[in-house]
């Protein structure tokens, strides 16, 4: 059956915007020294709060849809975690959502599907937790996969800015969305009804391209990307930022290439780290494959087990990037 996915998009946008507001609220409260102390509690609170909110919205609208999410509530259920539970309840209450522990656990654990099915959602409640803790970029990524194809995506980037809204003080916090075959759009997390289309760059000369990659060299090989940049004679420094905000930056043409190059044998990319951003770039006119040029295979459950790494480009320079990866020995 053909569907336009307008209800799915509407629910996804509202859910991700709500989650983004909770994440912002928690990130604002991060103490300056929490990084040095390696205090991960803000991530814990925002991660669970964000996943609970998205799950709650999906449960109400699509009660039969399975969700493959990053978090489960096992740890949160431990008696000694009461302070975390209270902090999450406080964040939800600030959004006028009053609930109890059992309901909270149930929302979080509804995202516990592991296996592929014909129709499922995948959620990363906070992608780029290291960026979140550094008070830098992170994303909330939600995608619907039907018959192995990503068909709806909503990716919230609470710290990305643009002129998309008329209210300058509300210019920070963007929500990218896409429906398969219908293009990609961006709006402010503050006003979901004012959106504009996003398009990848039209750069064809690889020496004029700019690439982006993870801040964390453990997530993507900076050494190999530097070799590719040299081979393709790129003049610009790479843009390093956390999370699927990288896909969004390529989708709106601020970078031409996103390289995610394997750092260790055997690591398999998780679908929640890619499904949302993937459709945004594809619908903005770009191309996404793994490092060997193979399409990403979203039919394998929680992992992209048939793929290694990810390359997203404006489409025009894709083949040259894949050839360069082969030449430097990545593919
Ligand atoms: P980024 O913010 O782009 O650096 O990516 C953050 C994501 O990297 C997290 O959500 C993790 O799931 C994922 N990750 C963890 N270890 C690795 C690894 N060795 N290679 C690639 N991605 C990883
Ligand atoms: Mg992630």
């Amino acid at each position: 059956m053909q569907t336009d996915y307008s209800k799915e998009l509407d629910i996804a946008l509202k859910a991700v915007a709500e989650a983004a507001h909770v994440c912002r609220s928690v990130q604002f409260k991060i103490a300056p020294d929490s990084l040095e102390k390696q205090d991960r509690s803000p991530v814990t609170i925002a991660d669970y709060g964000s996943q609970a909110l998205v799950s709650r919205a999906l449960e109400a609208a699509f009660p039969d849809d399975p969700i493959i999410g990053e978090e489960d509530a096992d740890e949160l259920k431990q008696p000694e975690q009461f302070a975390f539970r209270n902090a999450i309840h406080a964040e939800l209450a600030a959004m006028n959502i009053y609930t109890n522990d059992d309901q909270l656990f149930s929302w979080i654990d509804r995202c516990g599907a592991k296996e592929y099915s014909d129709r499922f959602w995948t959620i990363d409640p906070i992608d780029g937790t290291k960026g979140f803790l550094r008070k830098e970029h992170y994303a909330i990524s939600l995608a619907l996969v039907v018959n192995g194809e990503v068909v709806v995506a909503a990716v919230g980037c609470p710290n990305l800015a643009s002129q998309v809204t008329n209210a300058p003080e509300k210019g920070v916090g963007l929500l990218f969305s896409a429906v398969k075959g219908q293009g990609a759009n961006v709006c402010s997390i503050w006003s979901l009804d004012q959106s504009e289309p996003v398009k990848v760059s039209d750069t064809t000369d690889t020496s004029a391209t700019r690439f982006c990659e993870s801040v964390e060299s453990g997530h993507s090989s900076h050494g190999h990307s530097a070799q590719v940049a040299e081979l393709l004679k790129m003049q610009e420094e790479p843009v390093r930022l956390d999370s699927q905000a990288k896909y969004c930056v390529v989708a709106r043409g601020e970078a031409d290439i996103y390289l995610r190059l394997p750092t260790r044998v055997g690591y398999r990319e998780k679908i929640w780290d890619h499904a949302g951003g993937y459709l945004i770039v594809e619908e903005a006119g770009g191309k996404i494959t793994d490092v060997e040029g193979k399409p990403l295979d979203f039919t394998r459950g929680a992992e992209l087990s048939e793929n290694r790494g990810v390359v997203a480009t404006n489409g025009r320079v894709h083949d040259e990037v894949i050839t360069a990866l082969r030449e430097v020995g990545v593919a």
Side-chain angles (χ1 to χ4, degrees):
M1 192 185 70
Q2 198 63 34
T3 159
D4 69 355
Y5 296 114
S6 55
K7 180 179 174 192
E8 284 83 350
L9 177 66
D10 185 49
I11 301 290
L13 281 171
K14 287 178 184 149
V16 169
E18 246 181 13
H21 287 294
V22 163
C23 294
R24 279 184 87 249
S25 160
V26 178
Q27 198 189 39
F28 270 131
K29 294 176 198 150
I30 295 178
D33 61 347
S34 76
L35 251 195
E36 285 118 75
K37 285 191 193 152
Q38 301 200 329
D39 174 13
R40 289 185 57 85
S41 44
V43 163
T44 308
I45 297 161
D47 238 353
Y48 285 131
S50 170
Q51 182 160 310
L53 280 179
V54 173
S55 175
R56 170 181 178 268
L58 294 181
E59 181 181 59
F62 309 107
D64 299 329
D65 285 355
I67 309 169
I68 300 184
E70 192 174 13
E71 304 301 331
D72 67 53
D74 289 354
E75 186 68 30
L76 194 63
K77 289 175 187 164
Q78 302 307 311
E80 66 275 15
Q81 302 292 324
F82 69 93
F84 282 125
R85 294 194 290 272
N86 287 347
I88 297 164
H89 286 304
E91 293 298 334
L92 298 189
M95 305 286 297
N96 286 320
I97 296 165
Y98 301 91
T99 188
N100 56 35
D101 281 350
D102 285 341
Q103 177 66 81
L104 180 65
F105 301 152
S106 154
W107 284 333
I108 294 166
D109 282 338
R110 274 199 91 246
C111 304
K114 305 273 181 254
E115 304 298 325
Y116 172 76
S117 55
D118 288 350
R119 175 179 159 119
F120 69 93
W121 296 83
T122 183
I123 162 89
D124 193 341
I126 292 195
D127 182 38
T129 53
K130 295 197 166 142
F132 179 80
L133 287 169
R134 282 189 246 103
K135 297 205 166 202
E136 295 172 2
H137 291 290
Y138 64 98
I140 298 100
S141 180
L142 177 64
L144 174 65
V145 181
V146 175
N147 296 329
E149 290 199 84
V150 188
V151 292
V152 177
V155 179
C157 300
N159 287 334
L160 271 190
S162 95
Q163 303 302 317
V164 76
T165 156
N166 297 329
E169 74 282 7
K170 294 188 168 177
V172 176
L174 299 182
L175 181 41
F176 293 81
S177 62
V179 174
K180 188 153 182 72
Q182 297 178 24
N185 290 290
V186 63
C187 63
S188 160
I189 58 170
W190 305 93
S191 53
L192 307 188
D193 46 4
Q194 245 188 309
S195 70
E196 57 185 43
V198 286
K199 283 265 164 284
V200 294
S201 72
D202 50 17
T203 316
T204 51
D205 174 1
T206 55
S207 70
T209 58
R210 165 182 284 214
F211 76 93
C212 60
E213 64 183 349
S214 286
V215 175
E216 302 295 328
S217 56
H219 296 170
S220 183
S221 167
H222 291 176
H224 283 130
S225 64
Q227 288 177 33
V228 170
E230 196 180 328
L231 201 63
L232 296 178
K233 302 189 168 48
M234 294 182 194
Q235 310 294 316
E236 303 266 8
E237 287 296 306
V239 187
R240 291 198 175 132
L241 72 169
D242 301 279
S243 83
Q244 285 166 67
K246 290 187 279 294
Y247 279 109
C248 299
V249 161
V250 171
R252 66 174 179 174
E254 283 174 329
D256 313 284
I257 300 163
Y258 162 23
L259 295 175
R260 191 172 191 89
L261 310 181
T263 55
R264 60 183 170 85
V265 180
Y267 181 82
R268 289 294 175 258
E269 299 289 341
K270 308 294 179 277
I271 57 167
W272 51 76
D273 284 334
H274 299 286
Y278 167 92
L279 188 65
I280 308 283
V281 168
E282 189 175 78
E283 286 299 320
K287 180 164 180 176
I288 308 98
T289 65
D290 71 3
V291 292
E292 287 158 17
K294 281 192 338 199
L296 302 190
D297 180 353
F298 289 99
T299 69
R300 304 285 159 169
E303 294 187 339
L304 293 169
S305 56
E306 299 303 303
N307 298 109
R308 283 180 57 243
V310 175
V311 177
T313 71
N314 66 2
R316 286 128 175 124
V317 297
H318 203 88
D319 293 347
E320 280 172 89
V321 173
I322 299 295
T323 304
L325 285 166
R326 215 168 288 138
E327 277 179 45
V328 305
V330 173

